[in-house]
Amino acid sequence: MSKGSARSRSVLSEQGSIIERLVRGQHDAPAILAPERSALTHGGLRRLMADAAGQLHARGIGRGDRVAIVLPNGPEMATAFLSVAAAATTAPLNPAYRAEELDFYLTDIGAKAILVAEDETGPAVSVAERLGIGVLRLVALHDAPAGSFRIESEAGVPAASDLAQVEDAALLLHTSGTTSRPKLVPLRHANLAASAAHIGATLKLGEADRCLNIMPLFHIHGLVAAVLSSLAAGASVFCTPGFNALKFFQWLSEARPSWYTAVPTMHQAILARAARNGETVTEAQLRFIRSSSASLPAQVMAELEATFRCPVIEAYGMTEAAHQMASNQLPPGKRKPGSVGPAAGPEIAVMAADGRLLGPGETGEVVIRGPNVTAGYEKNPDANLAAFAHGWFHTGDQGVLDDDRYLRVTGRLKEIINRGGEKISPLEVDEVLMDHPAVAQVVTFAMPHDKLGEEVAAAIVLREGSVAGESEIRDFASGRLADFKVPRRIVILEEIPKGATGKLQRIGLAAKLGLG
């Protein structure tokens, strides 16, 4: 180690930012990789973070200041997230947001500055300038190791050189806001450190591991499960420009990862192309595959395991928990298809509406508490009163624990279909319809009904080359479901609408499809 890099490491460890303490891999070990780029080592990443902190301080950005990041997926997005969080508070935003959305998010965050690409001229810049928010330019150093950058902007009044501390907010993210105004979730460095440790322990991550990241880095799944948990284990992460099923197998061959993590729709798109990439699949050395952020159909789990010859670990996470709450186990531990596993970090319980904790086999709301859980939504006392009732954080999910304390999530409470008083879990209907040999994807949802209030509907994508009609699929469901659970309307689509992270969207789907 050079004297300069030793000095950087010393400064970072002495001043105590938890992000730097997490990036603790061996000096020459790879940390950040990307397609057709040389690797940035853990030592190089520590130097980059120290340099970036100095550049931010020189431009008036210091501890507690909020910096929105609007960058495309890739290695610079990963290193910028780490670097900004080490010196200030970071708020990654979806680069696809339009001006009105950016106006809301930047205002709600209280951003002091926004970090954009060197040549960015889109609405992020114009909105920031109109709001009086400073614009920082990230200059990617393409002739240097992956993720290398410098920050340019107009000179400002220098800030104190303090680094962020354990109880400071490291990361600001909004909830999806599907049915209401998005809520702002502040996650402290302590929350992120706890979650990274939980994921690392669950997956038994070590220095030899490498994650192939295809998740967007404006979302908790990619930021914590892929990037932060890898670096905290002294391992490495291969940062792609974002999910692309056509390029996935090329990246798999180049990166030679030991694992990847994704949402179910991504896994399904990968499986659809696996047969055409047989040699790459055969040569892959995956230790496991992880799935999270939406329910993984048991059929998809089985097909993934058969194709890649490794265990598939389904986990359960959410923004307010800095991602992971429960996870199935690596062998020789149990993996239960349809279950998200036992608690994997925080405590998990199932609660009745009156606050009673329920026993195995009883259905109620999933609640959690632990060191990875946010202390509360920002500027939203009413939401906090409801979310933290009875001393636990209420996830808004309905679920049931079995005798092994494995959790089965039966649906979002707000997605449960109320058909004339009969409560129907859309996930239960999904599971049945996925057994039809012609069905590739399905999302069951509530459709307005003038007498019953809600009726059951389903949107379906057929397997390539398969043919099936609405009546055939309804007949299939009728033999496996109680009559009131059988979809009264089935819409066959080429593609089901997805959210920004690739999750299928139930809420609002009836309106999008013009039903009811």
Side-chain angles (χ1 to χ4, degrees), residues 366-391:
V366 180
V367 293
I368 59 170
R369 62 186 180 190
N372 56 312
V373 181
T374 181
Y377 300 112
E378 190 167 286
K379 300 177 292 189
N380 203 329
D382 292 341
N384 286 330
L385 195 63
F388 291 90
H390 310 295

Side-chain angles (χ1 to χ4, degrees), residues 71-75 77-78 211-227 237-244 248 251 259-267 270 290-294 323 499-503:
L71 292 171
N73 241 45
M77 178 62 216
C211 176
L212 172 60
N213 180 54
I214 52 177
M215 288 299 299
L217 292 180
F218 53 79
H219 186 262
I220 195 73
H221 185 158
L223 290 170
V224 176
V227 175
V237 56
F238 187 94
C239 299
T240 71
F243 180 62
N244 184 325
F248 173 82
W251 294 331
W259 66 291
Y260 79 90
T261 182
V263 300
T265 54
M266 294 177 182
H267 293 306
I270 289 165
R290 185 177 184 273
S291 186
S292 189
S293 298
H323 191 51
T501 58
K503 291 195 289 185

